[in-house]
Amino acid sequence: MHQIAIFASGNGSNAQRIAEYFQNRDTARVALILSNNPGAFVLKRADLLGIPAKVFNREMFYSSEQVLEWLKEKNVDFIALAGFLWLVPAYLIKAYPKKIVNIHPALLPKYGGAGMYGDAVHKAVLAAGESESGITIHYVNEFYDQGPIIFQAKCPVKKEDTPDTLAQRVHQLEYQYYPVIIEKILTGEIT
Ligand code: GRF
């Protein structure tokens, strides 16, 4: 049974979706939820789900290996970022080669990079007059949104869309695919 850790900075609806998906599977469990934000709603979700959670600050993350210790304590062998806003440090990427994935709410390589998260992404997609958007699941390297792409799914952008309505459509794709793609990576069906 694989042990997954989820890193999230905010709301955590994807984190919850992944945790619930694996509650009924024998491939994996979400063993730990981690956040850089002590006020993040994802911590409340972790509590309600009965999943242990840890909070860290910048110094702990970048100048110590405390986070790696927590991951080892829980035998974590796979990491999913879900709305996590900090760059992953080199020591973690080295400890989990091809075992850290992220989801981005647009079709990379467009609309990615530093500052491209949340509403900023959807606003940029609308401002560019795109007719489709979607999700990208990719491996994580030391740069924002630049690791090898694993999976993409598309949805239409409608003329009357606001950042909010587009975000909702993209979120539905995230809930539909992120847990399933994680499972396929864990079982080796996707490499
Ligand atoms: C998602 O849209 C994800 O693609 C992006 O951040 C958002 C997180 O939403 N990386 P939530 O915290 O899972 O609700």
Side-chain angles (χ1 to χ4, degrees), residues 105-126:
L107 298 170
L108 292 175
K110 282 173 147 186
Y111 310 110
M116 274 303 203
Y117 61 88
D119 261 11
V121 176
H122 305 301
K123 278 183 187 156
V125 169
L126 291 174

Side-chain angles (χ1 to χ4, degrees), residues 91-104:
Y91 71 85
L92 265 186
I93 291 168
K94 238 169 127 184
Y96 289 92
K98 271 194 103 181
K99 304 277 183 215
I100 310 179
V101 296
N102 180 42
I103 190 161
H104 186 77

Side-chain angles (χ1 to χ4, degrees), residues 85-167:
L85 299 183
W86 286 2
L87 277 182
V88 176
Y91 71 85
L92 265 186
I93 291 168
K94 238 169 127 184
Y96 289 92
K98 271 194 103 181
K99 304 277 183 215
I100 310 179
V101 296
N102 180 42
I103 190 161
H104 186 77
L107 298 170
L108 292 175
K110 282 173 147 186
Y111 310 110
M116 274 303 203
Y117 61 88
D119 261 11
V121 176
H122 305 301
K123 278 183 187 156
V125 169
L126 291 174
E130 297 282 0
S131 60
E132 5 177 71
S133 189
I135 60 167
T136 303
I137 297 169
H138 64 93
Y139 289 112
V140 170
N141 64 15
E142 286 160 63
F143 307 98
Y144 281 117
D145 303 324
Q146 283 186 26
I149 291 174
I150 303 162
F151 175 87
Q152 293 187 304
K154 292 177 180 174
C155 63
V157 175
K158 299 183 182 170
K159 269 206 292 297
E160 63 275 19
D161 266 334
T162 63
D164 253 23
T165 58
L166 180 55

